[in-house]
Amino acid sequence: MDKTIEQIISQNLITLRKNKNLKQSDLSNAIGYSDKTISRWENGTSLPDISTLVKLADFYGISVEDLINENATEKYLEKKEKKNQEEIVNFYSLMGLGILTIWMVAILVYLGFIMAKHLYFWQIFILAVPASAVLVYKNTRKNFKVKWLNFLLLTIVVLGTVSFLYLTFLSFNFWQLFMLVVPLEGISAITSFFPTSRKRLKKQQKEDLGS
């Protein structure tokens, strides 16, 4: 037996809401309707009016036509997957562009030293490595939150920066700079593997200052 329009819409609303991991109260806050109204829509005892259907369709990123026909969830997931893929492509494109910009600046600085002072400042390319790692770290930490990757990138930043300073002032043989690696790596580990503890500490510090 064919489903009625009430059954189709109610089933679509239930599956769409659950796919977004929302409670009825979450949805009510998002679109400005009461829990009871949303419950009636999902039970099929009442239908949203056309303006509300438009609002619901916009909220889920689908069309009203998708919402009033079967398989709206599949349409939603397809569009969500497509959007995620576009965001990933944009993310890597912007990050690649940023890294290329860093290396272009490094090349220009290198050439500038040659033309201005006849000095081959090759150490600038070593500095470009931790600079690139900082850029990647800032983006991956916000978007992916992979702890071991964050630690690896911070390690590259620490070792690259210390190596740059040592090689820039190589004539001084200031090897003691590498002693900084141990405490800095400790900070990197805490920052990467225990971020919640760090946030809790900041919150506690604010509370202490407030009191």
Side-chain angles (χ1 to χ4, degrees), residues 26 30-31 35 40 45 50 53 58 60 72 76 79 90-91 95 100 125 131 145 153 172 179 182 186 193 201 209:
D26 298 326
I31 64 173
D35 299 9
R40 286 198 297 270
T45 55
I50 187 63
L53 284 173
D58 288 342
Y60 289 116
Y76 162 73
K79 290 180 179 180
N90 290 336
F91 168 77
M95 193 162 62
L100 288 172
F125 297 113
K145 299 179 181 179
L153 290 168
F172 295 96
M179 295 172 65
V182 176
F193 295 108
L201 179 62
L209 288 172

Side-chain angles (χ1 to χ4, degrees), residues 13 37 44 83 94 165 209:
L13 290 176
T37 301
K83 183 180 178 182
L94 289 172
L165 292 172
L209 288 172

Side-chain angles (χ1 to χ4, degrees), residues 23-47:
K23 298 177 182 177
Q24 287 184 344
S25 57
D26 298 326
L27 181 59
S28 70
N29 291 331
I31 64 173
Y33 287 85
S34 68
D35 299 9
K36 290 182 180 179
T37 301
I38 291 170
S39 180
R40 286 198 297 270
W41 295 341
E42 293 186 355
N43 290 333
T45 55
S46 69
L47 281 174

Side-chain angles (χ1 to χ4, degrees), residues 7-36:
Q7 290 173 325
I8 292 172
I9 292 175
S10 65
Q11 185 60 46
N12 285 339
L13 290 176
I14 291 169
T15 52
L16 286 166
R17 177 175 58 78
K18 288 183 176 179
N19 266 286
K20 283 182 76 76
N21 296 317
L22 296 174
K23 298 177 182 177
Q24 287 184 344
S25 57
D26 298 326
L27 181 59
S28 70
N29 291 331
I31 64 173
Y33 287 85
S34 68
D35 299 9
K36 290 182 180 179

